[in-house]
Amino acid sequence: VVLSIASEGGCSVIRVKDNGPGLTADQLESLFKPFTRFTDQKNGYGLGLSIALRAVQLLGGSLEAQSASGDGLELVMKFPTRD
């Protein structure tokens, strides 16, 4: 997992990237929907990313996911900087 923090175009940007198998376009489309899970794993409810998205939005920011099959997943959080 790689974590980076930067200032870009008036925003503070936090990026989290892994080196897993990545997600398909269909998976990316539903990633932030409540109760979404992509494995048969028995623990968890599929709520984490939907809660994270709402928390980031409440702080005035955005949360996006980028992925290419076989190239991991990158989550990008952007928050407006204060003057």
Side-chain angles (χ1 to χ4, degrees):
V1 175
V2 176
L3 174 68
S4 66
I5 302 171
S7 179
E8 298 175 8
C11 291
S12 295
V13 180
I14 301 169
R15 296 176 186 274
V16 181
K17 182 167 179 24
D18 70 19
N19 61 352
L23 299 177
T24 66
D26 288 339
Q27 289 173 320
L28 277 175
E29 188 175 313
S30 63
L31 185 64
F32 296 106
K33 293 179 182 174
F35 305 107
T36 297
R37 296 174 60 199
F38 301 123
T39 67
D40 292 333
Q41 203 171 5
K42 300 285 187 238
N43 55 350
Y45 295 97
L47 293 172
L49 287 176
S50 64
I51 292 170
L53 174 62
R54 185 67 183 133
V56 168
Q57 290 172 334
L58 286 171
L59 292 169
S62 65
L63 175 57
E64 298 175 355
Q66 303 168 358
S67 181
S69 185
D71 193 31
L73 175 68
E74 181 177 42
L75 296 174
V76 181
M77 293 173 274
K78 295 182 181 180
F79 298 95
T81 54
R82 296 184 184 193
D83 296 330

